[in-house]
Amino acid sequence: MRAVVYDRYGPPDVLRIEDVPKPSPAARQVLVKIAATSVNLSDWETLQGRPLYSRIGGLRSPARRTLGSDIAGWVDAVGAAVTRFRPGDEVYGDNLMLKGGFAEYAIAPESALARKPPALTFAEASTIPQAGVIAWQGTGGAVAGQRVLINGAGGGSGSFAIQLAKRLGAQVTGVDNAGKLDFMRSVGADKVIDYRSEDFTRSGHYDLILDLVAHRSVFAYRRALAPGGRYRCVGGSVPALLRVLTIGSVAGRLTRRRMGVLAVKEGPKHFEPVADLCVAGDLGIHIDRTFNLDEVPEALAHVGEGRALGKVVVSVN
C-alpha cells in the first residue's frame, strides 16, 4: 500500500511516499481502508517534533512513521475480539495513539471508532473527532450573554468553537491573523482581532478564553479575564503551558479567576454529539481545501503555517 512516511523530525520535505506492507489488525483492532483524513495542528507539531510534548514515545525519532489521526473510511478487516464492526462498515474516529491516516490503510483500536453518519461525507466526518471535541469541551459551560474569546479561531477547532459558543448565546471574539478575519465573521464571530496588530489581552475582559495557541504570559491572560472568568488552553509552547499549570493556577485563584489546561477527553462518546449537531444542520463544517496523498506535505504546511480557513482534508480514495 502507499503511505506518507518520515524517519526524522523536520519540515514537510522530510516526508515521502513509500510502498509499505498492508498491516494486519490485532485482536481488538480494526483495519480501515482510508477515504479521508483531516489535518490537525497536532500533525504539524509531531512532524516538526516541537513543542517537546509532541515527541512523547519518540524523543529522538518519530514513534509512528505515518501521521494522520482523524480518519474516515471503510472497515477492511477486524481482529478476532472485535464485536462492533465488520468489513464494509463506514467508520470514522480519532486515531491519535496509532495515527497512520496519511496512507491507503490504517490500523485503529475498535474503541477509537464510530459508525459514520450516512448524512456526512467521509471528508466531512474526518473533520470532527479531534477538532470538534476540542471546541465542544473548550466552550462547555458558556452561557447566554457571556463574553467569550477564542484565540486561534480561524482554524479547525476555532471555527467549530465560534459556532458552538454562539449557539450557547455568548458574545464571541475571534483572534487570528489578518487573512482570517472575514472567515471568522462568516462563521459567527461578533468581533475579530488580528493578533499581529492588536493585543487581545488588552482589548477587554472576557468570561471565557479558549486559547488554542498559548504563548503569552499568564499575567496577560489573567488581565484579560473578568472576575470569575475562566481561561482554558489546549495548545502552545511547553513553557506557556507549564506556566499556566503552575503560576497561572495560583495567580488565578488569588484573583477569583480560573486558569488551566484543558484535558481533552477522547473517543466516540465525546465526538458523536458534535457529529449529531452537524447532521442536524446546527453546526457547519468548513473545509478550506482538499489535497491528495501525494500532496500531504503541502497540506501540513497549509495548516502549520496558519493559512487554513477551517479544516483541511487529505482525500485518499
Side-chain angles (χ1 to χ4, degrees), residues 28-239:
R28 298 189 180 278
Q29 293 179 335
V30 175
L31 177 64
V32 180
K33 180 178 172 61
I34 302 297
T37 299
S38 75
V39 180
N40 292 297
L41 191 58
S42 59
D43 295 308
W44 175 253
E45 293 173 343
T46 311
L47 169 65
Q48 296 191 311
R50 61 177 193 268
L52 192 59
Y53 57 72
S54 68
R55 298 190 181 216
I56 292 174
L59 186 60
R60 296 182 179 275
S61 60
R64 305 290 177 185
R65 296 184 73 215
T66 298
L67 295 167
S69 61
D70 273 6
I71 61 175
W74 303 269
V75 173
D76 187 75
V78 298
V82 171
T83 59
R84 294 171 50 229
F85 304 110
R86 62 183 180 181
D89 287 346
E90 296 183 347
V91 295
Y92 73 121
D94 183 2
N95 196 27
L96 188 60
M97 293 303 295
L98 299 183
K99 301 183 175 64
F102 299 140
E104 293 179 324
Y105 294 86
I107 291 288
E110 178 185 21
S111 60
L113 300 173
R115 294 183 185 276
K116 181 185 76 68
L120 299 180
T121 66
F122 286 110
E124 289 170 336
S126 75
T127 69
I128 295 170
Q130 190 173 134
V133 166
I134 289 171
W136 175 266
Q137 295 175 11
T139 58
V143 298
Q146 284 192 328
R147 295 155 294 177
V148 173
L149 181 138
I150 302 160
N151 187 29
S157 296
S159 60
F160 281 130
I162 289 173
Q163 297 177 77
L164 289 167
K166 285 296 296 179
R167 189 170 178 272
L168 294 170
Q171 296 294 309
V172 180
T173 298
V175 181
D176 216 307
N177 63 57
K180 298 187 178 186
L181 301 185
D182 288 340
F183 173 70
M184 291 188 291
R185 291 189 188 98
S186 75
V187 294
D190 300 289
K191 179 182 178 183
V192 295
I193 294 174
D194 172 10
Y195 73 88
R196 292 169 178 160
S197 62
E198 182 179 349
D199 181 355
F200 74 82
T201 68
R202 298 182 182 277
S203 66
H205 293 97
Y206 301 92
D207 301 295
L208 171 63
I209 296 175
L210 174 60
D211 196 349
L212 303 170
V213 283
H215 293 286
R216 295 172 181 266
S217 156
V218 293
F219 298 106
Y221 294 132
R222 186 187 65 178
R223 177 176 64 226
L225 285 174
R230 294 169 294 147
Y231 170 88
R232 297 169 174 171
C233 62
V234 182
S237 68
V238 170

Side-chain angles (χ1 to χ4, degrees), residues 192-307:
V192 295
I193 294 174
D194 172 10
Y195 73 88
R196 292 169 178 160
S197 62
E198 182 179 349
D199 181 355
F200 74 82
T201 68
R202 298 182 182 277
S203 66
H205 293 97
Y206 301 92
D207 301 295
L208 171 63
I209 296 175
L210 174 60
D211 196 349
L212 303 170
V213 283
H215 293 286
R216 295 172 181 266
S217 156
V218 293
F219 298 106
Y221 294 132
R222 186 187 65 178
R223 177 176 64 226
L225 285 174
R230 294 169 294 147
Y231 170 88
R232 297 169 174 171
C233 62
V234 182
S237 68
V238 170
L241 296 177
L242 289 175
R243 287 194 295 266
V244 169
L245 284 169
T246 54
I247 301 170
S249 178
V250 174
R253 283 199 302 270
L254 292 174
T255 56
R256 294 195 302 116
R257 294 158 175 86
R258 288 172 287 170
M259 304 183 69
V261 175
L262 179 66
V264 180
K265 299 178 179 67
E266 304 169 4
K269 74 176 183 179
H270 299 291
F271 64 72
E272 286 185 300
V274 183
D276 290 342
L277 290 176
C278 294
V279 169
D282 295 328
L283 187 63
I285 296 172
H286 297 274
I287 297 176
D288 178 21
R289 290 184 60 183
T290 299
F291 296 81
N292 61 42
L293 202 58
D294 296 291
E295 298 171 321
V296 165
E298 292 91 335
L300 283 163
H302 193 65
V303 172
E305 294 169 3
R307 291 181 274 131

